[in-house]
Amino acid sequence: RDGLAGVFTFGGVIAARSFGFDSSTVIVFAIAANVVAGLATIGVGMFEDRLGAKPVMVWSIVLMVLCGLLVFLLHPLGAWVFWAFGLLLCIFVGPVQSVSRSFLSRLIPPGREGEIFGLYATTGRAVSFLAPGAFTLAVTLGGATIFGILGIVLVLLAGLLLLLPVNARQPVA
C-alpha cells in the first residue's frame, strides 16, 4: 500500500525535478494518471475473475517495478519517458488497490470483517513512512531526484516479496 501511495505522492516531484514539468503539466499528468488507473481498474476486473486476485496483484506489481526501472534508466531521453512509462505504471496502481481489498475480503473468516479491515487500515498507516523514507534515502544516496523512483521500486518489491508466500486459497468454513 505504501509503495502505491509513493507512486502518486512522489510522481509529481519526479516529474518536476527530473523531467522539467511545470506545475500545470504536473496537474495534467496527475489527472491523466488517475483516469488511467481508474479505467484500468475496471478492465482488470475481468482478469481477476478468471485468474484470481493474487496473480493479478503479483503481475501488476512486477509490471509497476519494470515501468519504474524504465523511467529511471531512460530518463535522459526526455519527458516522453515519464509520460509513456509513468502512465503505463499507473495502469497497474488502481487494480492493485482494488484487487488487494477483494483478495483480503475472500480470506477473512465470517464475522471478523470489521476486525480484519480495521487491522488492514491500521497497518497501512503504521508503515506509511516506508515510501517517503525510501524515496529520501535513494535521493540522498543517488544525489538526484530521479533516484527517488528506485526507493519507490524498492518498497514495491518488498510488498511483492511479502505477498508471494500468502496462501491464495480461501479457508474452508
Side-chain angles (χ1 to χ4, degrees), residues 14 18 72 134-135 138-152:
I14 292 168
S18 299
F72 176 76
F135 179 87
V139 169
T140 301
L141 293 175
T145 305
I146 190 65
F147 284 89
I149 199 158
L150 296 179
I152 295 168

Side-chain angles (χ1 to χ4, degrees), residues 25-69:
T25 307
V26 169
I27 291 169
V28 169
F29 182 87
I31 292 168
N34 279 285
V35 168
V36 164
L39 292 174
T41 301
I42 295 166
V44 171
M46 296 180 306
F47 291 109
E48 180 188 3
D49 292 342
R50 290 186 185 136
L51 304 173
K54 185 175 176 181
V56 169
M57 284 189 294
V58 168
W59 279 105
S60 292
I61 296 169
V62 166
L63 292 169
M64 287 174 65
V65 166
L66 178 63
C67 290
L69 291 174

Side-chain angles (χ1 to χ4, degrees), residues 4 12 23 25 30 48 60 69 72 74 76 81 86 90-91 111 132 136 163:
L4 299 176
S23 59
T25 307
E48 180 188 3
S60 292
L69 291 174
F72 176 76
L74 300 176
V81 169
C90 290
I91 287 173
T136 302
L163 172 63

